[in-house]
Amino acid sequence: AQSVTQLGSHVSVSEGALVLLRCNYSSSVPPYLFWYVQYPNQGLQLLLKYTTGATLVKGINGFEAEFKKSETSFHLTKPSAHMSDAAEYFCAVTSGGATNKLIFGTGTLLAVQP
Amino acid sequence: DVKVTQSSRYLVKRTGEKVFLECVQDMDHENMFWYRQDPGLGLRLIYFSYDVKMKEKGDIPEGYSVSREKKERFSLILESASTNQTSMYLCASNPGQNYGYTFGSGTRLTVV
């Protein structure tokens, strides 16, 4: 069965510092992987996705993620944090088979300190 | 711009009430989903639908039912609301397998 593990429920960085949010997945089929961002009291917004092809994926707001099959990882990075990046981030993987469900991690809350 | 619209942002209901949460999408998507979100637990799938009048249970269907009479509308029903159903409810849709979801803004339900 597919699953997602996000290491660190809370991450704090200084403004201008590197952002690294970790995601590891388990999948019995070739995975499609997603990162979503959620601002307070809002729904989730797609940041980026990996389906096939290039393993380094660029998304909105300067974020990128690299699919590493050997490490079963899909970590999210941003070179320089901005105050507006403070939000909760969710990693997700497709459930495989004929269904269209996504399996979500438990989320990482990113705080950005001035 | 594609949209998923949830009818209420905030709701307060009494224990035992029957509660309807409505979700409408304007993208002609086949699949629609209801999740609940609780701190530390992430998003948990309640029900999903892959076609009109078709539905499947997710991971936590107990105490909930759904209705999809039209392609664009997917309703979540709490048959008899209880305090442990106080949560953020998120509706989402997608056009097919391996596509990401488009989410609504969420409904924060409080059962008192």
Side-chain angles (χ1 to χ4, degrees):
Chain A
Q2 280 67 24
S3 66
V4 175
T5 302
Q6 291 184 240
L7 289 175
S9 58
H10 292 79
V11 171
S12 181
V13 300
S14 298
E15 193 173 19
L18 171 72
V19 176
L20 171 61
L21 304 182
R22 299 179 185 275
C23 173
N24 289 87
Y25 69 91
S26 171
S27 178
S28 57
V29 298
Y32 286 14
L33 295 154
F34 303 82
W35 274 101
Y36 285 85
V37 60
Q38 184 181 35
Y39 299 102
N41 294 313
Q42 293 188 25
L44 278 70
Q45 178 184 0
L46 181 66
L47 267 181
L48 51 79
K49 64 181 180 181
Y50 168 78
T51 53
T52 57
T55 56
L56 181 63
V57 180
K58 294 186 185 299
I60 62 172
N61 302 338
F63 284 92
E64 62 183 35
E66 187 171 11
F67 170 59
K68 292 187 176 181
K69 185 178 179 180
S70 61
E71 298 177 9
T72 60
S73 69
F74 190 57
H75 302 331
L76 182 70
T77 61
K78 182 174 181 178
S80 177
H82 192 272
M83 297 296 288
S84 61
D85 295 327
E88 190 158 22
Y89 292 81
F90 292 90
C91 183
V93 64
T94 45
S95 58
T99 64
N100 303 289
K101 297 181 293 183
L102 291 182
I103 308 299
F104 287 87
T106 52
T108 297
L109 188 61
L110 175 66
V112 182
Q113 308 299 329
Chain B
D1 204 11
V2 295
K3 285 186 70 173
V4 175
T5 303
Q6 295 183 233
S7 54
S8 303
R9 291 298 304 274
Y10 299 94
L11 275 179
V12 180
K13 297 292 182 180
R14 294 193 180 279
T15 301
E17 277 193 75
K18 191 169 186 176
V19 181
F20 293 85
L21 302 183
E22 305 289 346
C23 176
V24 177
Q25 51 99 359
D26 64 0
M27 299 164 284
D28 201 36
H29 283 174
E30 303 294 327
N31 309 304
M32 297 187 75
F33 307 83
W34 275 107
Y35 285 84
R36 64 176 283 176
Q37 182 182 13
D38 300 288
L41 297 178
L43 280 72
R44 294 180 292 168
L45 181 63
I46 304 170
Y47 267 97
F48 67 102
S49 169
Y50 51 89
D51 201 353
V52 174
K53 297 190 185 295
M54 305 302 287
K55 61 186 179 184
E56 283 197 27
K57 294 179 180 179
D59 300 316
I60 52 164
E62 296 77 20
Y64 303 94
S65 63
V66 290
S67 172
R68 193 165 181 204
E69 297 295 320
K70 293 184 178 181
K71 190 175 186 180
E72 66 270 20
R73 186 180 296 270
F74 191 36
S75 303
L76 180 69
I77 304 156
L78 285 65
E79 298 292 341
S80 177
S82 64
T83 54
N84 63 14
Q85 293 178 309
T86 292
S87 186
M88 169 73 101
Y89 289 87
L90 293 166
C91 177
S93 71
N94 78 354
Q97 189 175 8
N98 299 327
Y99 285 81
Y101 292 176
T102 300
F103 280 89
S105 297
T107 296
R108 188 166 293 281
L109 173 67
T110 302
V111 182
V112 298

